[in-house]
Amino acid sequence: MLKVIGIGPGRTEWLPPAVRDLAMNCDVLIGGSRALKLFPDFLGDQHCLTGDLKASLEVIRTALLAKKDIGVLVSGDPGFFSLLPRLKKEFPGEQIDVYPGISSLQFAFARAGLPWQEADFVSVHGRDLSVLPTQIRHLTGVLTGGTNTPQRVAQFYLDLGQNPNISVGNALAYPEELWQTMDANHLAQEAVPLKNAILILHPELTSVIDDQAKNSANNVRGGRIGIPDQEFLRGNVPMTKSEIRVQVLAKAQISRSDSIVDIGAGTGSISIEAAGLVPEGVVYAIEHNPEAQALILANQEKFGVSNLHLIPGSAPDVFPELPPVNVCIIGGSKGRLEDILLNVPLLEDGRIVITAVTLETISQGVKLLSELDYQDIEIVSLQAVRWQPVHNLHMAQALNPVFILSARKGVRS
């Protein structure tokens, strides 16, 4: 009997006991050297898969004639770009039992915190890059390999005049794992070797959207601020209210060609409004919460904002992915405000705006900005009250008070 066994990422801790038992009960194990090392106590015959696939097929054929149970170990899941189709073609009359593993696609989307039931996927390993979609209308998983590196995929889209966000997973589950999201322009210039990485292409914002979203997109592109809260997709993620967003953006003193970083972007409401103010610039939204990351991308698509780039992760850990910026907006620091202010790549004379809801945070912010020689430090405390209709009356609905701390980075003499 022939068993095709998925070993997932190829790490012992990701190997289910059922799969381990299946492999150990085979008479013959066939797989790559890394796969075979997962079963150091296996006492049967072993054959290491190499580039000479014909030799391996002959080993399988001989073992089948001897009525032996053969386990073929494949990385990831057998149903996702594995050796399974070739085995079914070579041994059409044999019973082939297939046992699933965690695919690289599953692992990558899990790392990104994104659902993948409606995603597209394609492999460019050993194939021409022309198999890639020329318009990215859905989340798309891409297997790379050989000469088709992630950098070449990024250049493919740059040559089409596009600059999509691309998540890159390399050596997933291994100590040297790399997981980053960047735009195609940055990825094309990435110097780190990326071998057999999996990519997630984020949808191009030329996708068809409904009339309401189109109207919203046009308004955002025109510099619309104070967008009503209900227009944003919210989920269970906190969002800066429209009255506060207007003041934050006013204190940021944004110019048309500015580069902006929004730290703790939440649903992306500030990032999206800021993007409308910089038609010649760019906004980088840093967010560590997977649900919030998905909402940022969903709101980005709804409002048709093409100059917004999501950077999953926490500040200041992801600052190496940032270019120098003119404006830094901090909505959440996770207790790391000092590290953020010390390391943010803010240009001289750049503006910084910090929002806080506690006296302690605003006090720490003022102290740090003073110590770091920021200029024009200003504190504003706001509490908006909305008057909501109740029958034929209007009742006060107070929003939480918010501190807005703003300053300008001093120019070195």
Side-chain angles (χ1 to χ4, degrees):
M1 181 183 294
L2 186 56
K3 301 174 182 178
V4 184
I5 304 171
I7 61 167
R11 298 278 292 178
T12 303
E13 60 268 28
W14 291 99
L15 199 64
V19 168
R20 192 188 315 277
D21 291 343
L22 278 167
M24 293 298 292
N25 288 322
C26 290
D27 299 314
V28 180
L29 277 186
I30 298 174
S33 59
R34 187 180 69 181
L36 293 173
K37 288 178 181 177
L38 293 173
F39 308 96
D41 299 328
F42 180 74
L43 300 177
D45 295 332
Q46 296 186 34
H47 176 78
C48 186
L49 278 171
T50 64
D52 187 3
L53 183 57
K54 288 184 178 180
S56 300
L57 293 173
E58 283 304 313
V59 170
I60 295 173
R61 189 170 283 108
T62 300
L64 286 172
L65 290 173
K67 304 296 184 183
K68 293 183 177 182
D69 283 341
I70 307 151
V72 179
L73 307 174
V74 297
S75 61
D77 183 85
F80 189 67
F81 293 103
S82 80
L83 192 58
L84 179 59
R86 180 65 182 272
L87 293 175
K88 293 180 75 69
K89 179 181 178 181
E90 291 287 336
F91 307 103
E94 288 292 336
Q95 178 181 341
I96 300 179
D97 292 341
V98 181
Y99 300 92
I102 300 173
S103 72
S104 54
L105 180 75
Q106 289 173 281
F107 215 102
F109 274 84
R111 276 288 184 264
L114 294 172
W116 57 282
Q117 68 265 18
E118 296 181 2
D120 296 329
F121 49 86
V122 66
S123 174
V124 296
H125 191 171
R127 302 181 180 190
D128 191 86
L129 291 179
S130 61
V131 300
L132 291 167
T134 55
Q135 289 291 335
I136 308 169
R137 300 190 179 277
H138 307 281
L139 287 168
T140 303
V142 180
L143 294 180
T144 66
T147 59
N148 286 335
T149 63
Q151 289 89 336
R152 286 198 66 197
V153 172
Q155 190 61 50
F156 173 85
Y157 285 103
L158 293 175
D159 291 343
L160 291 175
Q162 302 174 27
N163 189 28
N165 280 345
I166 302 176
S167 297
V168 185
N170 194 62
L172 294 177
Y174 285 78
E176 66 272 23
E177 174 181 312
L178 170 73
W179 178 257
Q180 286 186 325
T181 298
M182 62 192 85
D183 60 32
N185 186 51
H186 284 84
L187 178 54
Q189 301 175 46
E190 178 62 56
V192 176
L194 301 169
K195 184 179 180 182
N196 299 330
I198 186 164
L199 310 179
I200 298 176
L201 309 179
H202 295 273
E204 281 289 271
L205 297 171
T206 52
S207 303
V208 177
I209 50 179
D210 58 32
D211 290 338
Q212 179 183 0
K214 286 181 180 177
N215 291 334
S216 297
N218 291 334
N219 286 330
V220 170
R221 290 192 188 100
R224 181 187 181 203
I225 61 173
I227 298 172
D229 296 345
Q230 62 269 23
E231 290 192 27
F232 289 95
L233 302 173
R234 294 282 301 276
N236 295 315
V237 175
M239 184 180 75
T240 305
K241 301 297 189 292
S242 60
E243 294 84 357
I244 306 302
R245 288 198 304 272
V246 170
Q247 293 299 319
V248 168
L249 294 172
K251 294 299 182 184
Q253 300 179 38
I254 294 169
S255 299
R256 289 175 58 87
S257 59
D258 278 345
S259 294
I260 302 168
V261 59
D262 181 11
I263 298 172
T267 60
S269 61
I270 286 180
S271 293
I272 285 168
E273 292 195 4
L277 298 173
V278 289
E280 300 169 10
V282 64
V283 177
Y284 299 94
I286 295 177
E287 177 55 55
H288 78 285
N289 182 348
E291 181 184 0
Q293 294 168 10
L295 284 170
I296 290 169
L297 294 173
N299 280 314
Q300 180 183 23
E301 182 169 3
K302 177 181 178 182
F303 289 98
V305 179
S306 60
N307 58 339
L308 168 61
H309 301 294
L310 170 65
I311 301 181
S314 298
D317 301 338
V318 297
F319 281 171
E321 300 178 41
L322 275 183
V325 296
N326 308 99
V327 177
C328 173
I329 299 172
I330 303 175
S333 62
K334 308 295 289 184
R336 305 177 70 183
L337 184 58
E338 182 173 2
D339 288 340
I340 290 171
L341 293 178
L342 285 171
N343 294 286
V344 66
L346 186 63
L347 293 167
E348 291 182 350
D349 206 37
R351 284 84 65 201
I352 193 159
V353 181
I354 303 169
T355 59
V357 295
T358 68
L359 288 169
E360 289 77 13
T361 300
I362 205 68
S363 175
Q364 181 193 22
V366 172
K367 179 176 181 291
L368 290 170
L369 291 177
S370 299
E371 292 174 350
L372 294 171
D373 295 326
Y374 276 76
Q375 308 298 313
D376 304 331
I377 298 174
E378 183 180 57
I379 310 168
V380 175
S381 176
L382 298 177
Q383 181 171 16
V385 177
R386 293 177 176 174
W387 293 86
Q388 301 292 350
V390 179
H391 302 298
N392 61 336
L393 303 173
H394 284 76
M395 301 292 291
Q397 182 186 62
L399 304 181
N400 290 332
V402 176
F403 294 98
I404 302 176
L405 172 60
S406 58
R408 178 175 56 83
K409 188 172 183 178
V411 178
R412 294 178 181 175
S413 56

